[in-house]
Amino acid sequence: MRRGVERDNTKVRQRNTVNIGDRCCLGARPLLGGYDGPRQWCWFRLDSIASLAALAPLETILFDIDGTLCDSDILHYHAYREMLQEIGFNGGVPITEEFFAENISGLHNEDVAAFLFPDDVPRGRQIAEDKEAVFRKLASEQLAPVSGLYKLKKWVEDRGLKRAAVTNAPRANAELIISILGLSDFFEALVVGSECEHAKPHPEPYLKALDLLKASKEHTIIFEDSVSGIKAGVAAGVATIGVMTRNPEHQLREEKPIFLIKNYDDPKLWAALEALEKMDA
């Protein structure tokens, strides 16, 4: 740490500063300000950088798939909305995106079936299966990566980190998405919730991925976009970063990720990764 100054209207205050690349973060209070271009400051918590830096040397990155690698939740939402309206669910009133985010997004299909049709779970399972077929058709036509994904992919590859995809989606969906995004050769393992004894939000899928990769959770980062996924990552004892693709920020924050990012171009993420690398130097 070195001493620095920050001008605040009429007075100059001495503050602790942390250099992150060509930026300077001011950290005497719980918040850090990272300079991100002329007259622009991005604010983030001091403990977010400290939490990530403590992972050095970083060994492993684990990714969820839907909503984390790609903005696919909107496709799942449209598929469910149309199918449920057709069968008269909710009196024929279409479900809202908020309803989907709060009650369906990120859950295993078995849990979705039980939630939507508690008195007829087999019917719910069939609807979920039919929805997946609709989703795969939409995905083949409309799927796009989360902004900055390929920048992060290169960063991971350049450092030779271990990586796996961990999902509650059916294997057919997961493999299709990974293929469409050109990531088939990127991931060393794919863990599917339905092939574990417990799906997310249970930590088992992430713990299984760590076991397959022979990786330490103390040197691993998880990227997740859903409440159930962040719950799983945190319960596994792994530093989990929330990606705010579609799900409400307040809901994600309640699950205590180390911090939240808008996408993989977020300056907050790269500032933290730079700090981590400095710790490993």
Side-chain angles (χ1 to χ4, degrees), residues 214-225:
K214 294 179 170 49
S216 166
K217 64 184 178 181
E218 288 81 11
H219 301 286
T220 297
I221 294 173
I222 289 173
F223 287 98
E224 266 286 358
D225 77 300

Side-chain angles (χ1 to χ4, degrees), residues 75-152:
L75 305 182
H76 286 287
Y77 163 63
H78 283 304
Y80 265 122
R81 185 185 65 180
E82 293 178 13
M83 293 185 66
L84 291 174
Q85 185 179 16
E86 286 178 2
I87 63 172
F89 181 83
N90 193 34
V93 177
I95 63 170
T96 64
E97 194 166 354
E98 291 73 21
F99 176 90
F100 174 84
E102 292 178 7
N103 301 293
I104 297 176
S105 178
L107 292 180
H108 186 266
N109 278 350
E110 187 71 17
D111 297 322
V112 174
F115 171 76
L116 294 177
F117 297 94
D119 298 326
D120 193 352
V121 175
R123 184 189 186 197
R125 291 194 194 107
Q126 186 60 55
I127 289 171
E129 289 179 13
D130 292 344
K131 186 275 302 181
E132 300 301 355
V134 174
F135 167 79
R136 286 190 287 271
K137 182 178 185 302
L138 294 173
S140 64
E141 301 167 348
Q142 303 177 32
L143 202 66
V146 170
S147 180
L149 175 65
Y150 297 122
K151 177 182 177 182
L152 180 60

Side-chain angles (χ1 to χ4, degrees), residues 18 44 48 51 55-56 81 94 104 143-144 172 182-183 188 199 223-224 231 247 253 267 281:
V18 180
F44 46 95
S48 67
S51 296
L55 302 178
R81 185 185 65 180
I104 297 176
L143 202 66
L183 299 175
E188 300 169 47
F223 287 98
E224 266 286 358
K231 278 184 178 178
N247 292 314
R253 196 174 298 281

Side-chain angles (χ1 to χ4, degrees), residues 244 248-257 259-260 268:
M244 295 185 292
E249 177 179 351
H250 71 277
Q251 291 184 3
L252 300 183
R253 196 174 298 281
E254 286 174 0
E255 303 309 324
K256 298 181 173 54
F259 57 84
L260 299 174
K268 185 190 306 183

Side-chain angles (χ1 to χ4, degrees), residues 48-64:
S48 67
I49 284 186
S51 296
L52 216 57
L55 302 178
L58 185 63
E59 299 174 352
T60 308
I61 305 283
L62 303 178
F63 292 87
D64 173 49

Side-chain angles (χ1 to χ4, degrees), residues 202-216:
H202 195 281
E204 182 185 345
Y206 279 117
L207 295 175
K208 181 176 180 179
L210 291 172
D211 184 58
L212 289 171
L213 296 175
K214 294 179 170 49
S216 166

Side-chain angles (χ1 to χ4, degrees), residues 145-249:
V146 170
S147 180
L149 175 65
Y150 297 122
K151 177 182 177 182
L152 180 60
K153 172 181 179 288
K154 184 178 187 304
W155 188 90
V156 171
E157 290 175 327
D158 288 348
R159 287 151 184 80
L161 303 180
K162 301 173 183 178
R163 55 263 192 183
V166 183
T167 182
N168 269 354
R171 178 169 286 274
N173 286 22
E175 291 178 345
L176 175 65
I177 291 172
I178 289 172
S179 176
I180 291 173
L181 295 176
L183 299 175
S184 296
D185 295 330
F186 174 70
F187 288 114
E188 300 169 47
L190 169 61
V191 176
V192 177
S194 62
E195 297 170 8
C196 300
E197 185 173 351
H198 304 284
K200 303 176 198 176
H202 195 281
E204 182 185 345
Y206 279 117
L207 295 175
K208 181 176 180 179
L210 291 172
D211 184 58
L212 289 171
L213 296 175
K214 294 179 170 49
S216 166
K217 64 184 178 181
E218 288 81 11
H219 301 286
T220 297
I221 294 173
I222 289 173
F223 287 98
E224 266 286 358
D225 77 300
S226 70
V227 168
S228 67
I230 294 175
K231 278 184 178 178
V234 171
V238 179
T240 303
I241 297 174
V243 186
M244 295 185 292
T245 314
R246 294 268 172 188
N247 292 314
E249 177 179 351

